[in-house]
Amino acid sequence: MTDRRRLAMEFRPLPPIPRGMAALRFDKLGAIIAFLAACGVLAAPFATFRANRIVAGEARFVVAALPPWAAALLLATVVVAALIALLRSSVLVRLAASVAALVVLALVIGIAGRYLMPAGNSYARVSPASGFWLLVFAFTLLAADCFTRLRLSPPMRIGALGIAALAIALAIASGTWDNLSIMKEYASRADTFWLLGAQHLTLAFGSLATAAVVGIPLGIACHRSATLRGPVLSILNIIQTIPSIALFGILIAPLGWIAVNIPGAAAVGVSGIGMPPAFVALFGYSLLPVVANTVLGLEGVPAAANDAARGMGMTDRQRLIAVEFPLAFPVILTGIRIVLVQNIGLATVAALIGGGGFGVFVFQGIGQMAMDLVMLGALPTVALAFAAAIVLDAIVEISARGSAQGPAAA
């Protein structure tokens, strides 16, 4: 046998792949989602039953946490949705699968609460376990991937957020989750919940508004003066590196001294503990992103736009208001988005010095070893941060389009 013939036999092409197998293409992210879904159903408990709110719980897997028909519905939905995620398919099909899986999860966790709760027992608690949260994370990740691929317009993204919020509100109002422990914790603290929620929003949005009023003019001044820029940004960077708990503690002494020694300070609410030091600390944390993004946005204004404005006879003030600030606004708004999401999270820590907010539930729950009380404070905080990020991202995109079209139209 010649060398040429032997090489030809060794390197013969492989037989063609059957058409059906060639059509099956796997999605890399879908493989992760399918793995998480499998772990959520097979390897992790779906719900936890406790005789009361502070004792250790008993883990219940899907088949033990639900009546047979609900367990079958959940398993069938998870299997179908995971297969759709695993195989490359239409984005709309994948989105429908993720939404269907999340809706079924929302329904069956309420069924689990009713199924596991002993009749006439007001002390027992049923809460979602790690398997439920794994499944929620997996199919929320699938839905987020679908929304990214669809490239929805900003109004449509805000609309989708509104629909999700409405669905959650309807589920709460319908009593679907009334037997879950987090809703029992809410039922006994409903008035306090909304009061603390108002405090949380006051800290987050109030400190943001104050930082915007102070930080944007300061950023403009730093942009105009390189001598001022270095020291200001250095000081703000130092403030940003101080841990939040330490900064809250540092402010107690000076604000307490002001309240005692300066007439009228205590009358307007200044004190060493409570909301004032928390507000001042969040204001300090907010300044760096606002000032830095204002400087960055103004530096990014095209020189041609400024030259054209000068050619039209505009003064420096007119150029700032009519040309520079509108073009820099998307970057400034990005800094405001960073601040708001940051402040919503940091406001939780303010509870340690009596600042109120949802952190009160978090730290009370930790102290009492009541994890459902922790969740009562943590879940609204996460939801607020998530919603704020989506809404402000949409506003940033809309403003960026407007600023890009403005010079073109001019």
Side-chain angles (χ1 to χ4, degrees), residues 124-297:
R125 294 289 187 267
V126 177
S127 57
S130 56
F132 172 81
W133 295 115
L134 267 176
L135 291 170
V136 169
F137 174 72
F139 294 115
T140 302
L141 182 61
L142 178 59
D145 178 61
C146 293
F147 283 125
T148 301
R149 296 186 187 188
L150 286 172
R151 297 180 181 178
L152 298 178
S153 65
M156 292 183 69
R157 295 203 298 271
I158 295 176
L161 176 66
I163 292 171
L166 179 62
I168 293 173
L170 290 175
I172 294 173
S174 68
T176 302
W177 299 330
D178 280 356
N179 286 291
L180 296 178
S181 56
I182 188 172
M183 295 306 300
K184 291 183 177 294
E185 297 288 352
Y186 168 76
S188 63
R189 297 171 172 81
D191 294 338
T192 306
F193 178 89
W194 294 107
L195 175 62
L196 295 178
Q199 293 175 348
H200 202 103
L201 293 176
T202 300
L203 285 171
F205 284 89
S207 59
L208 168 64
T210 308
V213 170
V214 175
I216 292 176
L218 186 57
I220 294 171
C222 290
H223 171 67
R224 293 284 191 264
S225 171
T227 305
L228 179 65
R229 183 187 313 172
V232 168
L233 292 180
S234 297
I235 293 172
L236 296 181
N237 269 301
I238 292 172
I239 295 174
Q240 197 78 15
T241 60
I242 302 174
S244 56
I245 297 177
L247 186 56
F248 291 151
I250 289 170
L251 290 170
I252 290 176
L255 289 178
W257 184 89
I258 291 172
V260 172
N261 294 281
I262 296 182
V268 298
V270 176
S271 63
I273 60 172
M275 290 188 68
F279 189 95
V280 173
L282 292 177
F283 166 75
Y285 282 127
S286 304
L287 278 177
L288 178 62
V290 174
V291 173
N293 277 56
T294 301
V295 173
L296 184 63

